[in-house]
Amino acid sequence: MTNRESVLKRAVWLVAVVVSAVVHAACCNNVSTAGEPHYYDPAEPGQPKLIECDVAVYGGTPAGVTAAIQAAREGKSAVLLSFNRHVGGMTSGGLTATDLGRKDSIGGIALEFYNRIGKSLDYSPGEAETLYRKMLDEAGVKVLFGRALSSVVMQDQRLVSATMETGETVRAAVFVDSTYEGDLLAAANVSYHVGREPAATYDETLGGQWQTVSWKNVYQFCRLPLSPYVTADDPASGLLPEIAAETPGKPGEGDFKVQAYNFRLQLSRGEDRVAFPKPRGYDVNRYALLARFLNFDERIDWPLNYTTAPLTDGPVQMRQGDSNNAGSFSSDYVGGNYHWPDGTNKPGSISELPPPRRGLPVPLRDLYDLRERIFQDHVNYQQGLMYFLANDPQVPDELRARVSAWGLDPEEFTESGFWPHQLYVREGRRMVSDYVVTQADCESRRIVNDSVGLASYPMDSHFCQRVVVEENGVQTVRNEGGFGHGFAKPYPVSYRSIVPKKNECENLLVPVCLSSSHVAFGSIRMEPVYMILGQSAGSAAAIAITEQKAVQDVDYAKLKTKLEHDGQRLTWDDKSVRQPAKTLPGLVTDDTDAKTTGSWTSGTLSPICGLAYLHDDNSGKGEKTVTFKIDVPKPGTYKVNLLYVASGNRSTKTPVTVSVGEDTTEITVNQRKGTAVGASLGSFRVNDSIMVTVSNRNTDGFVVVDGVQLLLQPQQ
């Protein structure tokens, strides 16, 4: 069999995948696991049993948790049915470097959760699930684990009941589909799409394939002429594994691909760390492209973190706790998930969006079996990747030593071999209702008046395909479909986007697989937003039941009053939402008083001064500057501080120019480090004014600017 045939065979729908073994050995002592990670536990049907409630929530994601809690707090009987044996989805499944966006756009139960756990970043996944379970118990929610949907009964555009594989039938007045995949909405014959719309569908600059506004140089194998063929530059030898044989489409064309999934590993450098396991059926050839890349050019630097600087690449992120994809060939399994959402995948590209899909193209039981195979293929791929990086002699010695210094956290996921129990399903089905959230909403070019919560994270998509392209006359390999594009301020999400069309289903709410374009979903798909929309769905369900109305007919004015009473934040009002930072000594100039060039993004997560700060969105390198011109009240020697909060995703080489009169000083600031107020730029003799200019030229991470502080020094 040729290598190309091997790649194609891997993509065929019901291909059998060898389940990877998860037998871990700690660095200093042997540790074995009693379980292995898996997606699906087939249930033995018991005696038929009827469960009746007001609100039935299907899916143990954060949206499911908050929907059930809110419905129960409103006095409705609520049942939460979790597909697996956990609640919390990715929040308890490894994603603890939370994609917050703007923290002060978060309210309601989501804010309550973060306040109760004591932090919004880098908490323990196990502690997150414990807290979720406690909050569910406090609210009186009945939680049923290991419940996989088998069938539904519809009557007069209403979901009458849902039957689980266990034999239990749940009858409710209102249902909530809070799954990452949208299985309940599909079973209810509600319209949906899978994949990427052509750019022209919603007039989105980020729509379709080959976006030109963002990410074109990020994780693209350092734009080196890396051959995609088994024998370099010989197409007859076949493609290396993990490269698609399919020809990509033209810029702006859509397709049926979804962004890549991965597991968010919890890593540790402790002595008791669990060594990266060698999966059963380990195939080193899966990583031949990475091996070629690692040895292609000795100038490449491997920071083991996010990077955008020339001739740098992850290849993976390794940090204490949650560790993500961070490279051209990384933990994202590009192309391995196309059949996950509904069991089908149609190759090729489209210039016009076809009508929405309805129903179940693959029976649910067959779909679960298929997803289990895809899940295990992801386990095998990512475990094999980490084992390869830590052990294979093809990996440069220095990099191999740095990777092997890390391992899995022995305190997390102990029931699944220290490996996350939840695959990061970044995108599944997306409902099509009377309102579709698009890029125009994200950029506040269209603002709805029926908000059920704010979203604030940049539009963000991971790669959708890895393909062969021609650059400068050479056949090489590139990733396609990734973008990360910010916008000016949080935006409201429409209530109409979380309810189906009335003529399809009158008693279903969908806070996860909501009605959204692929582009806008890249912003909405964050766990805090899911919690926000889940709570709003729970409130709407309670009102619909009390007033005996279809969810589409809920009085929005009444819903809004209820949401605001419960602390949901529905509109972006700087004065009422944001709080200024503490007053700093000396002469402080905020970023609002600076002159900017290029497109900067305002952030409010942790300002040092004022209400917000600026960041360059890690894009448009060399196009952006922030300039402060500061007049001093009296001549003297001033210590000058650049104000920012240090973080691991910041630039290590931010260029700053300080000008006093005709004297100019060039300074490079490592923004991954800093004091409580940022970094000192030095002391300068200033008679009347000083100018400080920050640039994002040749930087290797986010450039953050919050202000400049001048401290008059005592005379010597």
Side-chain angles (χ1 to χ4, degrees), residues 507-584:
N507 64 331
L508 175 67
L509 292 124
V510 185
V512 175
C513 296
L514 74 166
S515 181
S516 166
S517 70
H518 164 76
V519 172
F521 193 77
S523 168
I524 294 172
R525 63 174 184 84
M526 306 305 164
E527 304 297 288
V529 181
Y530 287 156
M531 282 194 265
I532 291 167
L533 299 181
Q535 178 181 352
S536 294
S539 294
I543 293 173
I545 293 169
T546 298
E547 301 189 351
Q548 298 184 334
K549 289 183 175 180
V551 293
Q552 294 85 359
D553 295 335
V554 165
D555 183 348
Y556 175 71
K558 185 171 293 186
L559 175 60
K560 178 183 178 182
T561 298
K562 179 59 187 171
L563 298 180
E564 290 179 334
H565 176 269
D566 292 334
Q568 291 280 55
R569 292 173 177 169
L570 305 180
T571 59
W572 182 247
D573 182 343
D574 289 353
K575 293 181 180 179
S576 64
V577 176
R578 298 192 292 183
Q579 297 296 322
K582 295 180 180 179
T583 303
L584 296 175

Side-chain angles (χ1 to χ4, degrees), residues 54-55 57 64-80 109 112 116 130-143 535 538:
D54 294 319
V55 181
V57 182
V65 172
T66 57
I69 289 173
Q70 183 65 18
R73 287 179 178 179
E74 290 302 298
K76 307 303 179 186
S77 58
V79 174
L80 175 62
I109 297 176
E112 176 187 342
R116 288 181 66 169
T130 297
L131 177 56
Y132 275 140
R133 293 192 183 211
K134 182 177 181 181
M135 293 172 70
L136 287 161
D137 184 62
E138 290 170 351
V141 175
K142 183 177 183 179
V143 183
Q535 178 181 352

Side-chain angles (χ1 to χ4, degrees), residues 103 112-121 123 131:
K103 186 176 180 180
E112 176 187 342
F113 169 81
Y114 291 121
N115 285 339
R116 288 181 66 169
I117 205 167
K119 56 175 70 174
S120 55
L121 294 168
Y123 45 81
L131 177 56

Side-chain angles (χ1 to χ4, degrees), residues 49-260:
K49 179 182 178 182
L50 179 63
I51 299 173
E52 294 187 289
C53 59
D54 294 319
V55 181
V57 182
Y58 182 59
T61 65
V65 172
T66 57
I69 289 173
Q70 183 65 18
R73 287 179 178 179
E74 290 302 298
K76 307 303 179 186
S77 58
V79 174
L80 175 62
L81 301 122
S82 178
F83 184 86
N84 57 25
R85 301 191 179 281
H86 300 275
V87 292
M90 286 305 301
T91 303
S92 62
L95 202 172
T96 59
T98 312
D99 298 313
L100 289 167
R102 300 194 179 181
K103 186 176 180 180
D104 47 4
S105 68
I106 299 171
I109 297 176
L111 184 60
E112 176 187 342
F113 169 81
Y114 291 121
N115 285 339
R116 288 181 66 169
I117 205 167
K119 56 175 70 174
S120 55
L121 294 168
D122 295 328
Y123 45 81
S124 159
E127 291 176 359
E129 179 161 7
T130 297
L131 177 56
Y132 275 140
R133 293 192 183 211
K134 182 177 181 181
M135 293 172 70
L136 287 161
D137 184 62
E138 290 170 351
V141 175
K142 183 177 183 179
V143 183
L144 301 175
F145 294 99
R147 264 54 176 195
L149 180 67
S150 178
S151 63
V152 303
V153 173
M154 295 287 295
Q155 184 177 340
D156 298 328
Q157 290 76 53
R158 292 185 68 85
L159 250 172
V160 177
S161 64
T163 298
M164 305 294 121
E165 287 190 342
T166 55
E168 298 154 310
T169 295
V170 182
R171 183 179 294 160
V174 174
F175 289 80
V176 178
D177 183 343
S178 54
T179 64
Y180 286 127
E181 297 86 3
D183 287 347
L184 181 58
L185 75 87
N189 207 31
V190 169
S191 297
Y192 69 90
H193 280 309
V194 172
R196 300 185 286 178
E197 301 93 346
T201 303
Y202 299 116
D203 191 23
E204 295 175 306
T205 59
L206 289 168
Q209 301 178 50
W210 301 110
Q211 307 86 0
T212 59
V213 297
S214 184
W215 274 54
K216 61 182 179 180
N217 285 314
V218 178
Y219 302 151
Q220 293 295 359
F221 298 97
C222 296
R223 303 224 71 96
L224 295 168
L226 198 68
S227 175
Y229 303 112
V230 174
T231 301
D233 305 319
D234 179 10
S237 65
L239 289 173
L240 291 169
E242 313 308 337
I243 301 174
E246 181 181 338
T247 302
K250 299 176 183 178
E253 289 184 333
D255 56 28
F256 302 103
K257 300 177 173 67
V258 290
Q259 56 182 306

Side-chain angles (χ1 to χ4, degrees), residues 299-528:
R299 297 174 298 168
I300 301 176
D301 183 43
W302 310 99
L304 295 178
N305 208 338
Y306 303 137
T307 178
T308 60
L311 289 177
T312 65
D313 196 275
V316 294
Q317 185 188 36
M318 306 198 77
R319 62 187 291 272
Q320 189 71 32
D322 176 7
S323 300
N324 194 16
N325 180 84
S328 302
F329 191 114
S330 193
S331 61
D332 276 1
Y333 182 9
V334 180
N337 61 345
Y338 296 158
H339 289 87
W340 184 280
D342 73 353
T344 71
N345 176 54
K346 183 179 180 181
S349 302
I350 53 175
S351 56
E352 293 186 7
L353 188 67
R357 305 177 190 182
R358 297 186 70 179
L360 294 167
V362 174
L364 284 170
R365 178 60 184 265
D366 293 342
L367 182 58
Y368 302 151
D369 288 336
L370 170 60
R371 286 180 184 159
E372 178 65 32
R373 288 188 282 273
I374 296 172
F375 183 97
Q376 295 302 336
D377 196 22
H378 277 72
V379 173
N380 184 281
Y381 167 81
Q382 196 167 340
Q383 284 189 351
L385 171 70
M386 301 311 298
Y387 180 83
F388 171 83
L389 288 169
N391 296 280
D392 198 281
Q394 297 176 89
V395 179
D397 292 346
E398 186 270 343
L399 177 60
R400 190 167 70 246
R402 289 165 58 209
V403 172
S404 60
W406 291 87
L408 303 177
D409 189 336
E411 301 298 321
E412 299 291 347
F413 311 123
T414 55
E415 295 180 358
S416 54
F418 315 107
W419 194 266
H421 50 73
Q422 177 70 55
L423 179 63
Y424 192 1
V425 178
R426 289 188 171 95
E427 185 174 11
R429 299 177 179 93
R430 298 190 313 280
M431 182 172 66
V432 180
S433 70
D434 291 327
Y435 191 90
V436 180
V437 186
T438 70
Q439 184 174 343
D441 293 83
C442 300
E443 296 176 340
S444 297
R445 292 182 285 112
R446 181 174 65 167
I447 300 176
V448 298
N449 58 8
D450 60 345
S451 171
V452 285
L454 296 174
S456 63
Y457 200 81
M459 293 169 283
D460 178 271
S461 174
H462 286 234
F463 293 122
C464 297
Q465 57 182 340
R466 180 177 293 129
V467 293
V468 177
V469 300
E470 182 176 312
E471 283 191 4
N472 302 318
V474 176
Q475 296 289 305
T476 187
V477 59
R478 293 289 180 260
N479 297 317
E480 190 279 320
F483 57 76
H485 198 62
F487 40 81
K489 59 184 180 180
Y491 61 93
V493 178
S494 169
Y495 177 62
R496 289 164 289 166
S497 71
I498 69 169
V499 296
K501 296 177 181 179
K502 188 176 180 181
N503 63 358
E504 292 184 352
C505 189
E506 295 184 355
N507 64 331
L508 175 67
L509 292 124
V510 185
V512 175
C513 296
L514 74 166
S515 181
S516 166
S517 70
H518 164 76
V519 172
F521 193 77
S523 168
I524 294 172
R525 63 174 184 84
M526 306 305 164
E527 304 297 288

Side-chain angles (χ1 to χ4, degrees), residues 4-62:
R4 180 188 296 263
E5 290 171 335
S6 176
V7 173
L8 290 173
K9 183 177 180 181
R10 184 179 287 117
V12 173
W13 177 40
L14 295 172
V15 63
V17 180
V18 178
V19 177
S20 61
V22 191
V23 180
H24 302 258
C27 298
C28 299
N29 59 306
N30 292 329
V31 178
S32 62
T33 171
E36 296 180 346
H38 57 275
Y39 163 76
Y40 174 50
D41 275 325
E44 290 294 331
Q47 291 294 322
K49 179 182 178 182
L50 179 63
I51 299 173
E52 294 187 289
C53 59
D54 294 319
V55 181
V57 182
Y58 182 59
T61 65

